[in-house]
Amino acid sequence: MLRTTDAPPSPTRATSIRNLGLLGLLGIAGVLALGIVIRSSGNGPSPLDSWWHDVQRGWRTDAGIRVAEAFDLVGGVGIVIGVTVVLIAAFLIARRFRSAITLAVAMAVSETVTAAIKVVIARPRPADSLSDVDVTSFPSGHTAAAATLAVTLALLIGRRFWAPAIAWIVLMAWSRTFLEAHWLSDVIAGGILGASVALLARWLVVTAEGRLQKRREARLLPVH
């Protein structure tokens, strides 16, 4: 159940949030570095990518394909945007304005950064993909969106949401490689990118709110 307000962070929690921001920046930098390495190496699959691709093909069953296709559908842009809008509305109704802004910022930044990296790296998808997707592969947009949404909600709701959040990210990543829509490194990068953007958005919104609060308090101080 959603809390009815967003309580201001304590000094200890504020330090933790700053650490989340740093971790988010490092994660995004790591994904960019991996993309540069992949691009400079010819944009093809690594030995690990090829191995996992063959493993997934060997595990392929009709039931598995149906499950993976369900994740493909649920993780599509239209449904993700719809779910995000509903969650933002729920936060606003609960008067959790910081949470609503955090989720909006996280999802907007995630989609923008993912699209930009896809264009710059321009890695081809596996030729035998079973998913009706565009031509670029790195990073996985489905996995990035899943990670952004799940990690943001875990940060906003609390510890009880971390287990389902992690499970959702892993299953989405699996589904993308099972359908051979992505290489393993694509979904790993997508997961890291989405989680990192969620951490960074949390830090940005709380920091901005803190600065606004300090300005309000400064205006209210008596003038001697």
Side-chain angles (χ1 to χ4, degrees), residues 118 123 125 131-137 181-182:
K118 280 178 174 288
R123 187 185 202 185
R125 291 184 185 271
S131 179
D132 183 16
V133 291
D134 57 28
V135 295
T136 53
S137 182
H182 288 281

Side-chain angles (χ1 to χ4, degrees), residues 90-116:
F91 281 129
L92 290 174
I93 292 170
R95 299 183 64 82
R96 292 189 56 177
F97 303 118
R98 185 204 307 151
S99 296
I101 294 170
T102 300
L103 181 56
V105 169
M107 294 305 295
V109 171
S110 177
E111 290 296 321
T112 302
V113 172
T114 300

Side-chain angles (χ1 to χ4, degrees), residues 9 14 29 40 49 56 62 121-123 141-142 161 167 175 186-187 201-203 209-211 213 219 224:
S40 62
D49 288 328
Q56 294 291 78
D62 290 340
I121 304 302
R123 187 185 202 185
H142 277 67
F161 195 78
S175 73
D186 297 334
V187 298
R202 174 70 166 159
W203 171 73
E209 184 186 41
R211 290 177 179 174
Q213 182 63 30
R219 293 193 192 102
H224 298 288

